[in-house]
Amino acid sequence: MKVAKFGGSSVASATQFRKVAHIINSDVERRIIVVSAPGKRFKDDIKITDILIQLAQAVMAGKTCDEIVQAVVKRYAEIAKELELPADEFLAELKNDLHWKMNEYRDNPSRLLDAIKASGEDHNARLMALYLQEIGLEASYVSPREAGIVVTDEPGNAQILPESYEKLYHLRNRHGVLVIPGFFGYSPEGNIVTFPRGGSDITGSIVAAGVKADVYENFTDVDSIYCVNPSIVENPRQLREITYREMRELSYSGFSVFHDEALEPVYKAGIPVCVKNTNNPAAPGTWIVAKRNHLDEPIAGIASDTGFCSINISKYLMNREIGFGRKLLQILEDEGISYEHAPSGIDNMSVILRANQLKEGKEQRILARIQAELKVDEVHIEHGLALIMVVGEGMERAVGMAAKATTALAQANINLEMINQGSSEVSMMFGVKEEAVVDAVRALYQAYFQEAVVGNEV
Amino acid sequence: MKVAKFGGSSVASATQFRKVAHIINSDVERRIIVVSAPGKRFKDDIKITDILIQLAQAVMAGKTCDEIVQAVVKRYAEIAKELELPADEFLAELKNDLHWKMNEYRDNPSRLLDAIKASGEDHNARLMALYLQEIGLEASYVSPREAGIVVTDEPGNAQILPESYEKLYHLRNRHGVLVIPGFFGYSPEGNIVTFPRGGSDITGSIVAAGVKADVYENFTDVDSIYCVNPSIVENPRQLREITYREMRELSYSGFSVFHDEALEPVYKAGIPVCVKNTNNPAAPGTWIVAKRNHLDEPIAGIASDTGFCSINISKYLMNREIGFGRKLLQILEDEGISYEHAPSGIDNMSVILRANQLKEGKEQRILARIQAELKVDEVHIEHGLALIMVVGEGMERAVGMAAKATTALAQANINLEMINQGSSEVSMMFGVKEEAVVDAVRALYQAYFQEAVVGNEV
């Protein structure tokens, strides 16, 4: 059996609902469907989730909310109307649900936000089930509670609890197509709790792992995953196949297709993922697998992300101080800072981290602590760094991978702030100034994906 | 004024004593002389220090020692005889000194070893002073106690105490040439304590800093420091000038000219060092300075060392665990392990360290602790790694430094286990398998030093 998850743009309108129904109808193995809330229909459209966040904020601020509730209801009503669904009962239930939550959680902002946001997916799943029934399919809405998605009780940051998987397995015994809303679960205390970023992908992945699906299909709005960000390189190569490890490295550093957390359940269960396009389901899509069948290309992709900074420390004879690195990382841990990489030389150590963690005086405090507690000769912070990851399972065995990258960057006259190669078997990390990142990624794409095509290099 | 230190081979025989005297005579600024114990006169010769270590071991083992004492006395007697010095008193004093120490420290092996070893330098300084007087120079032996070299009381690992510098400054007021033995000082408790590796270099550097010398001359048996190990590359380029930072990075990783600890006092005092050849004092030697006058060569040298290993750890979603790196380094610190570099990726972390630290079950214990305490997916250790450092002050400003290195290595078909670039402004670190290190260093030398000469590359 297959679990198919449909993202926001795939379920944004009646037209999209029809496409989804067609996809479900065309393969009897597609037995469990996970849906997002209606997403954008056009560039400047507003997602239902964003309207629901506005609603929750208005409640917290004690403002009038009727118009916002109306806007939500209207969006679903339009879809229902165009699909010619008898939806009065559904819309009344939607309105009741929102009002009940607005009242129940009025004095508990984080619970309110989670409960209201979850309504977006929840009602889209209900509407999808209605529509599938209407066109003659045996289909039913299954709430996360009924499905068995039990999560930790931390608002906005639900983590799946292990007992969920056994419960989910019983869904295999149910008949017909099951439609489950993405993005949230229920805590043992009975609260609605949403997943972090990439929420519906997480639900789909958990459900696929729970029911031991043969495939987890992730329907989105592109034909495949690209080997590089299409906003940096025009018409980049499409990937037929990529490993979990490659995907995780890429998604971590700027590939927005998949949030890395979403892959964990299917990765652990060994279930292959197929990323497909709702608008072009005939395209083969991209497979995410444990082991690639085609390793002729050592490099799978190039990802990049900006907004990093580097704390650079020097101290004469640093390397003779046992515990220096540990003490430095302890200071960061005390301050709740996570870091990407901490390269060290003989008398130097740097820590690369996301700069948005250094707000509200934290930068000054950390620098002062390093100076005072580690008695360093010098410490300074360099902002505006970008990290580029070149990712591929074949990298470890191929001589010259680093030479190809560094040569391409040198030819593009890009100064390398940092190279980290060797800690991961499947990636190399390069640090450049933010203003150089686009040129750098293009130069690397050229070197790895275009020269090979025209046969200039092996 | 200049402080001149003469290494073991520079003071190994009467012929060498004459060369030293000539060097001292040729420059009135050479007012303070630091001498090692007599070193090797030919390839298979035994250094006095090694005979003295045998002596201490014989005492500890309760064996008869007369022959070893005789061997020591004979060596000095030969030098004195060839120099036609009236040395009976000197030789009697040497014998008395050894016997007194053998008796005094019989039940205290570490004190015995330090006291006996120190005799080598101490009596060579006395003999040198005698000889200089004999040839008509105003010269005197100054013991480290009289000079003011006050050190910590840890046998074999003396660290200079700050009050020494003020005491040493008074040496400026003394007339004539002062001859000070290298390698040891006196603790506040009155014990003879030797410095760690590179001991006489440390004394010379401390004395130069204390008297605020204009130059610290380090006389050895090569015309200059080479940019690469001459046992790997034949006739390598000689360095005219190198910075303290460059020297420290190079000496750390396989350059045996200077032990890194020896540079610290002159580095802090900003005193330039000139490395010169006792056997060819007319050669200009190599200057070690704070700032190079000639920065046309971005790379100063290439150093390499073997005997490293890498602990490689992978854990899915490692990077989301705040504190992971700190906990790993804490385990190493608990086990008394110092590490060279700890590169990390998203789900991976490696620690590069000297393998000789992992004896007697430590390897198994550390791997077991990492597995149990950090709950990693995988941990394994890779032995037989070599590290190569490419060092140069100009590196940071030059685009393409990494490309040149990685291309040269790829062309030599050498697989890179690791690259660490960016943490130090003056070096790049490469990890290769030990069996590839000679080829790798030659390829890098060719790329940085030979192609430039023939004008192929800038």
Side-chain angles (χ1 to χ4, degrees):
Chain A
M1 73 189 292
K2 296 178 179 175
V3 170
K5 179 256 166 182
F6 293 89
S9 65
S10 299
V11 288
S13 66
T15 311
Q16 295 302 87
F17 268 57
R18 287 195 189 98
K19 290 180 190 167
V20 170
H22 180 73
I23 289 166
I24 294 168
N25 249 328
S26 68
D27 186 343
V28 291
E29 291 296 313
R30 289 183 180 126
R31 297 242 324 266
I32 301 182
I33 311 303
V34 174
V35 296
S36 293
K40 292 184 180 187
R41 292 158 295 185
F42 44 87
K43 191 165 173 288
D44 292 329
D45 198 13
I46 303 174
K47 296 178 187 179
I48 276 285
T49 305
D50 290 336
I51 305 177
L52 290 167
I53 291 170
Q54 282 177 30
L55 176 60
Q57 287 167 340
V59 174
M60 292 178 225
K63 289 185 189 158
T64 172
C65 302
D66 291 354
E67 269 184 40
I68 311 179
V69 171
Q70 270 314 315
V72 176
V73 174
K74 185 164 167 264
R75 183 79 187 271
Y76 288 100
E78 280 173 12
I79 298 173
K81 192 179 166 204
E82 207 182 318
L83 294 172
E84 298 176 5
L85 290 178
D88 290 353
E89 199 184 324
F90 167 80
L91 295 171
E93 198 279 324
L94 164 61
K95 223 166 173 173
N96 279 344
D97 177 67
L98 293 175
H99 281 293
W100 184 85
K101 286 170 174 169
M102 287 157 62
N103 190 51
E104 180 73 11
Y105 299 115
R106 190 167 294 276
D107 301 322
N108 194 337
S110 59
R111 294 289 176 207
L112 175 76
L113 187 64
D114 267 23
I116 294 275
K117 281 196 296 184
S119 287
E121 276 73 10
D122 195 46
H123 287 89
N124 219 27
R126 290 172 193 266
L127 191 59
M128 180 63 75
L130 264 186
Y131 174 59
L132 295 177
Q133 289 158 7
E134 192 68 15
I135 60 170
L137 275 173
E138 184 185 356
S140 46
Y141 158 83
V142 180
S143 86
R145 193 199 302 264
E146 190 189 345
I149 301 176
V150 190
V151 298
T152 56
D153 200 38
E154 188 188 348
N157 192 31
Q159 305 288 321
I160 194 74
L161 291 173
E163 61 258 39
S164 302
Y165 292 108
E166 206 178 315
K167 290 181 184 163
L168 283 163
Y169 189 73
H170 296 296
L171 291 178
R172 290 183 75 101
N173 302 325
R174 302 216 8 194
H175 287 276
V177 174
L178 310 180
V179 186
I180 303 175
F183 195 33
F184 70 101
Y186 284 83
S187 69
E189 293 83 350
N191 292 312
I192 292 173
V193 195
T194 62
F195 289 114
R197 234 166 45 119
S200 291
D201 282 338
I202 297 178
T203 301
S205 180
I206 288 168
V207 172
V211 302
K212 299 194 169 33
D214 300 307
V215 180
Y216 169 38
E217 292 182 320
N218 195 293
F219 281 90
T220 175
D221 52 10
V222 289
D223 274 1
S224 83
I225 297 176
Y226 297 102
C227 71
V228 67
N229 187 336
S231 73
I232 295 182
V233 175
E234 222 177 310
N235 263 327
R237 188 185 295 196
Q238 299 188 356
L239 294 170
R240 287 286 148 265
E241 206 182 40
I242 188 172
T243 68
Y244 299 120
R245 289 205 296 182
E246 288 171 338
M247 191 65 226
R248 166 140 166 79
E249 302 256 357
L250 290 169
S251 65
Y252 177 74
S253 43
F255 264 47
S256 56
V257 177
F258 250 111
H259 187 240
D260 54 1
E261 197 165 343
L263 269 180
E264 191 182 11
V266 281
Y267 161 74
K268 289 202 166 157
I271 296 168
V273 180
C274 189
V275 176
K276 286 179 79 74
N277 190 351
T278 303
N279 307 313
N280 182 20
T286 301
W287 284 90
I288 308 175
V289 294
K291 210 165 146 48
R292 278 206 259 158
N293 288 311
H294 307 98
L295 264 177
D296 41 317
E297 284 293 343
I299 302 301
I302 301 163
S304 57
D305 207 358
T306 55
F308 295 94
C309 66
S310 157
I311 302 176
N312 303 315
I313 295 163
S314 61
K315 181 176 187 179
Y316 195 71
L317 302 185
M318 178 192 289
N319 78 312
R320 272 210 262 127
E321 262 181 67
I322 287 194
F324 186 92
R326 194 266 309 159
K327 286 177 207 148
L328 174 61
L329 298 186
Q330 181 74 62
I331 291 176
L332 295 178
E333 190 177 339
D334 292 350
E335 301 287 343
I337 301 283
S338 71
Y339 70 94
E340 308 304 309
H341 181 43
S344 59
I346 290 171
D347 288 346
N348 308 80
M349 186 161 172
S350 301
V351 185
I352 321 292
L353 47 93
R354 287 193 188 268
N356 62 8
Q357 300 179 94
L358 295 179
K359 286 172 194 154
E360 291 155 20
K362 234 179 207 181
E363 176 170 336
Q364 286 65 36
R365 192 163 68 243
I366 288 171
L367 294 183
R369 283 192 63 182
I370 290 171
Q371 189 79 64
E373 295 170 29
L374 301 179
K375 312 223 174 342
V376 300
D377 295 339
E378 209 204 319
V379 53
H380 71 275
I381 193 158
E382 188 187 345
H383 281 281
L385 281 181
L387 293 185
I388 301 172
M389 303 280 279
V390 176
V391 175
E393 294 273 352
M395 180 177 293
E396 208 198 5
R397 286 174 305 282
V399 168
M401 285 291 107
K404 188 169 263 199
T406 52
T407 303
L409 294 171
Q411 282 168 356
N413 205 30
I414 289 159
N415 204 19
L416 275 170
E417 305 292 315
M418 191 194 85
I419 307 175
N420 172 21
Q421 187 258 331
S423 50
S424 163
E425 292 171 1
V426 299
S427 70
M428 287 184 285
M429 188 192 283
F430 299 97
V432 300
K433 298 262 188 222
E434 280 179 348
E435 55 270 27
V437 69
V438 167
D439 286 346
V441 169
R442 286 181 184 154
L444 291 169
Y445 178 78
Q446 171 86 22
Y448 285 113
F449 292 102
Q450 298 201 301
E451 292 177 4
V453 169
V454 297
N456 281 343
E457 307 218 7
V458 180
Chain B
M1 72 189 292
K2 296 177 180 175
V3 171
K5 178 254 165 183
F6 293 89
S9 66
S10 299
V11 287
S13 66
T15 311
Q16 296 301 89
F17 268 58
R18 290 196 186 96
K19 290 181 190 168
V20 170
H22 179 75
I23 289 167
I24 295 169
N25 249 329
S26 67
D27 187 343
V28 291
E29 291 297 315
R30 290 185 179 123
R31 296 239 326 266
I32 301 182
I33 310 302
V34 174
V35 296
S36 294
K40 291 185 179 188
R41 293 158 293 186
F42 43 88
K43 191 164 172 288
D44 292 327
D45 198 13
I46 302 175
K47 297 177 185 179
I48 275 286
T49 305
D50 290 335
I51 304 178
L52 290 167
I53 291 170
Q54 282 176 32
L55 175 58
Q57 287 167 342
V59 174
M60 291 177 224
K63 290 187 187 156
T64 170
C65 304
D66 291 353
E67 273 185 35
I68 310 179
V69 171
Q70 271 314 315
V72 175
V73 173
K74 183 166 168 263
R75 183 78 187 271
Y76 288 100
E78 279 174 12
I79 298 173
K81 191 180 169 203
E82 206 182 318
L83 294 172
E84 297 174 11
L85 290 179
D88 291 351
E89 199 182 325
F90 166 80
L91 293 170
E93 199 279 322
L94 165 61
K95 225 168 174 170
N96 280 344
D97 178 66
L98 292 176
H99 281 294
W100 184 85
K101 286 171 175 171
M102 286 157 62
N103 190 52
E104 179 73 11
Y105 299 115
R106 190 167 294 276
D107 300 322
N108 194 338
S110 58
R111 294 288 176 211
L112 174 76
L113 186 65
D114 266 24
I116 295 277
K117 281 197 295 183
S119 286
E121 276 72 11
D122 195 47
H123 287 90
N124 218 28
R126 291 171 192 266
L127 192 59
M128 179 63 74
L130 266 185
Y131 174 60
L132 295 177
Q133 290 157 9
E134 192 68 17
I135 61 172
L137 275 174
E138 183 185 357
S140 46
Y141 158 82
V142 180
S143 86
R145 194 199 301 265
E146 190 190 347
I149 300 176
V150 190
V151 299
T152 56
D153 200 38
E154 188 188 348
N157 192 31
Q159 304 289 318
I160 192 74
L161 291 172
E163 62 257 38
S164 301
Y165 292 107
E166 205 177 315
K167 289 180 184 162
L168 283 162
Y169 190 73
H170 297 295
L171 293 178
R172 290 184 74 103
N173 302 327
R174 305 233 344 213
H175 287 275
V177 174
L178 311 180
V179 187
I180 304 175
F183 194 35
F184 70 100
Y186 284 83
S187 68
E189 292 83 348
N191 293 313
I192 291 174
V193 195
T194 63
F195 290 114
R197 237 165 45 116
S200 290
D201 282 338
I202 298 178
T203 301
S205 180
I206 288 168
V207 172
V211 302
K212 297 195 171 34
D214 299 309
V215 180
Y216 169 39
E217 292 183 319
N218 195 292
F219 280 90
T220 174
D221 52 9
V222 289
D223 273 2
S224 82
I225 297 175
Y226 296 102
C227 71
V228 68
N229 188 336
S231 74
I232 295 182
V233 174
E234 222 177 311
N235 264 326
R237 186 184 296 196
Q238 298 188 357
L239 293 171
R240 286 287 149 263
E241 205 182 40
I242 187 171
T243 68
Y244 298 120
R245 289 205 297 180
E246 288 171 337
M247 192 64 225
R248 166 139 166 80
E249 302 256 357
L250 289 169
S251 65
Y252 176 74
S253 42
F255 264 46
S256 56
V257 177
F258 250 113
H259 188 237
D260 53 2
E261 195 164 346
L263 268 180
E264 191 181 12
V266 280
Y267 160 75
K268 288 201 167 158
I271 296 167
V273 180
C274 189
V275 176
K276 286 179 77 75
N277 191 353
T278 303
N279 307 312
N280 182 19
T286 301
W287 285 90
I288 307 174
V289 294
K291 212 166 141 49
R292 277 205 260 158
N293 289 312
H294 306 97
L295 262 177
D296 41 319
E297 283 294 344
I299 302 301
I302 302 164
S304 57
D305 207 358
T306 54
F308 295 95
C309 65
S310 158
I311 301 176
N312 303 313
I313 295 162
S314 62
K315 181 176 186 179
Y316 196 70
L317 302 184
M318 179 192 286
N319 78 312
R320 272 208 264 127
E321 260 181 68
I322 288 194
F324 186 92
R326 192 267 308 158
K327 286 177 207 151
L328 174 62
L329 299 184
Q330 181 74 63
I331 291 176
L332 296 178
E333 190 177 340
D334 292 350
E335 301 287 341
I337 301 284
S338 71
Y339 70 94
E340 307 305 308
H341 181 44
S344 59
I346 290 172
D347 289 345
N348 308 80
M349 185 160 174
S350 301
V351 185
I352 320 292
L353 47 95
R354 287 193 190 269
N356 60 9
Q357 300 180 92
L358 295 180
K359 284 171 194 153
E360 291 156 19
K362 236 181 206 180
E363 176 170 335
Q364 286 65 35
R365 191 163 68 243
I366 288 171
L367 294 183
R369 283 192 64 182
I370 290 170
Q371 189 79 64
E373 294 171 31
L374 301 179
K375 312 219 174 346
V376 301
D377 294 338
E378 209 203 318
V379 54
H380 70 275
I381 193 159
E382 189 187 343
H383 281 281
L385 281 181
L387 293 186
I388 302 171
M389 303 279 283
V390 176
V391 175
E393 295 272 351
M395 181 177 296
E396 208 197 5
R397 287 175 304 283
V399 168
M401 283 292 109
K404 189 170 262 201
T406 52
T407 302
L409 294 171
Q411 281 167 357
N413 204 31
I414 288 159
N415 204 21
L416 274 169
E417 305 292 314
M418 192 195 86
I419 307 174
N420 172 22
Q421 186 259 332
S423 50
S424 162
E425 292 170 1
V426 298
S427 70
M428 286 184 285
M429 187 192 284
F430 298 96
V432 301
K433 299 263 187 220
E434 280 179 347
E435 55 270 26
V437 68
V438 167
D439 286 346
V441 169
R442 285 179 183 156
L444 291 169
Y445 179 78
Q446 169 86 20
Y448 285 112
F449 293 102
Q450 297 204 300
E451 291 177 5
V453 169
V454 297
N456 282 343
E457 308 217 6
V458 182

